[in-house]
Amino acid sequence: MFWTNLFLFSSKLFINMLNKIQLEDWIMHLIRDNNMTKKNYYNVSLIIRQIFQYAYDSEILRENTFDRVRKNLGKFFRKVRKPMDESQVYTEEEIAALEQLIWDDFAVKGKKKFRLAPLAVLFQLYTGLRVSEVSALKYSDIQPNGKLHVQRMLVKSTGEVRERTKGFEGEREVYIPAKARNIITATLNYRKEHGISCEEYIFSETDSPFPERTINDYLERYCNRLGILYRSSHKLRKTAVSSLVNSGVSLNAVRAFAGHLDEKTTLAYYTFDRENEATRNEQFEKALSFNRAN
């Protein structure tokens, strides 16, 4: 109790001593001394912002000094080059090959430690879910309106199932496309065929979700068999988001689909060009010919 009171007293003293200019100076040094990117700063400043908001709400401060900090800090951030498209998403040709291989592999009789996990790889691609969300998905999450109620996640570090997800107020609804519905049907048929009574988690044959790492293990194995560049399961999520944006779906709808809090995250970190170079050159040629008839 003593140390808690001392911390509260010190925090109160610290924030009361800082005026707007001093706080801005401290923030600029924080960014420069730690060579922060914009994302680094946002993550750190979130804690600081909450402290000042709490102090204001508790009437420790007469005004929230942090709200008055200038917003044009861009020139102080370390610039980050956006990764190359081909390292972040799968092309149409690669997706077609993966689909064929995964369905063929699932059809092969024999023992697999996580028999339904191969289908989970494709399901993540079709729905853009986080791998932690796919692992914890239940049949009860399938809504009558043809959407998934994404409301829980598997915590990688502890293996516990948490009844909320990252961002977007902890839950969201996601449209289930036809290929994803086919996968759900395939899992139900498999359970019926093999007399599996554990029917809670869609891609698990037990009463517990399969480990988060499993999707990546299978994906890497399939990429190696096809001789294509392995990109993590997170890149499947980026592929889904990029496909929606490239197809002209409203950016706000894509943001909600992905469970992002703002559109900047969707555009900056999840939107990439999925075309191969030949197709991209054709697009450039057509666009720059300025011939509307074509």
Side-chain angles (χ1 to χ4, degrees):
M1 189 65 178
F2 168 78
W3 292 110
T4 301
N5 289 334
L6 180 61
F7 172 76
L8 291 173
F9 174 77
S10 301
S11 299
K12 179 178 179 180
L13 185 63
F14 171 73
I15 60 179
N16 268 303
M17 289 174 60
L18 284 177
N19 58 37
K20 175 180 176 293
I21 295 176
Q22 291 171 322
L23 183 57
E24 285 182 343
D25 185 64
W26 180 78
I27 287 173
M28 284 188 286
H29 277 87
L30 177 71
I31 295 171
R32 284 172 168 169
D33 294 347
N34 294 280
N35 196 27
M36 286 183 169
T37 63
K38 185 176 182 179
K39 185 175 182 180
N40 294 152
Y41 169 70
Y42 176 80
N43 291 335
V44 171
S45 67
L46 182 62
I47 301 171
I48 303 170
R49 191 181 304 114
Q50 290 173 339
I51 291 173
F52 273 88
Q53 186 61 47
Y54 177 80
Y56 174 72
D57 292 341
S58 303
E59 299 184 354
I60 296 172
L61 292 175
R62 292 183 179 179
E63 64 175 353
N64 187 338
T65 315
F66 196 89
D67 282 347
R68 298 177 57 221
V69 171
R70 61 174 166 167
K71 309 302 180 184
N72 57 334
L73 296 169
K75 62 182 179 181
F76 301 108
F77 297 131
R78 173 168 57 86
K79 305 303 179 185
V80 180
R81 185 185 297 273
K82 192 167 183 175
M84 298 294 289
D85 297 305
E86 53 268 27
S87 71
Q88 299 299 303
V89 292
Y90 288 86
T91 66
E92 296 291 348
E93 294 79 9
E94 290 172 332
I95 292 299
L98 280 169
E99 287 176 323
Q100 184 66 54
L101 178 58
I102 289 173
W103 278 111
D104 288 347
D105 189 44
F106 178 69
V108 172
K109 304 296 182 182
K111 291 185 178 179
K112 286 187 177 69
K113 188 174 182 180
F114 302 103
R115 196 65 178 76
L116 296 171
L119 296 185
V121 176
L122 289 179
F123 194 85
Q124 185 189 15
L125 171 69
Y126 300 148
T127 59
L129 299 183
R130 299 176 178 91
V131 65
S132 60
E133 296 168 342
V134 176
S135 297
L137 204 59
K138 299 180 179 181
Y139 287 107
S140 58
D141 296 324
I142 303 171
Q143 304 299 295
N145 62 359
K147 294 186 177 182
L148 282 175
H149 184 196
V150 185
Q151 56 185 321
R152 74 185 67 79
M153 61 181 285
L154 180 67
V155 181
K156 183 177 181 180
S157 58
T158 63
E160 68 171 311
V161 175
R162 182 176 298 165
E163 295 299 322
R164 65 179 304 278
T165 68
K166 291 176 61 178
F168 211 66
E169 300 182 352
E171 60 181 86
R172 68 190 187 282
E173 282 196 341
V174 171
Y175 173 73
I176 311 174
K179 286 187 175 182
R181 293 197 297 271
N182 290 340
I183 287 176
I184 293 173
T185 300
T187 65
L188 289 170
N189 291 338
Y190 179 84
R191 291 176 187 282
K192 183 177 180 180
E193 179 184 348
H194 293 82
I196 299 172
S197 58
C198 301
E199 297 183 349
E200 186 172 29
Y201 294 104
I202 295 177
F203 298 104
S204 176
E205 298 177 68
T206 70
D207 291 319
S208 301
F210 66 84
E212 184 178 320
R213 176 63 197 172
T214 306
I215 288 182
N216 271 306
D217 288 343
Y218 272 99
L219 179 58
E220 184 172 13
R221 190 179 310 166
Y222 292 135
C223 286
N224 289 339
R225 286 172 63 179
L226 291 170
I228 63 176
L229 175 66
Y230 163 67
R231 282 138 288 181
S232 71
S233 63
H234 188 58
K235 304 305 192 302
L236 291 177
R237 177 166 155 80
K238 290 186 177 183
T239 300
V241 171
S242 295
S243 185
L244 290 173
V245 174
N246 296 163
S247 298
V249 177
S250 157
L251 184 57
N252 189 51
V254 178
R255 174 196 62 78
F257 173 89
H260 293 152
L261 291 173
D262 63 74
E263 296 172 355
K264 292 180 180 178
T265 299
T266 308
L267 275 178
Y269 303 107
Y270 288 81
T271 304
F272 297 88
D273 185 357
R274 297 183 54 242
E275 302 293 355
N276 57 41
E277 186 174 3
T279 302
R280 192 179 301 123
N281 288 343
E282 288 178 10
Q283 292 173 334
F284 281 135
E285 183 66 36
K286 183 177 180 180
L288 296 175
S289 69
F290 301 100
N291 186 347
R292 294 187 179 181
N294 295 331

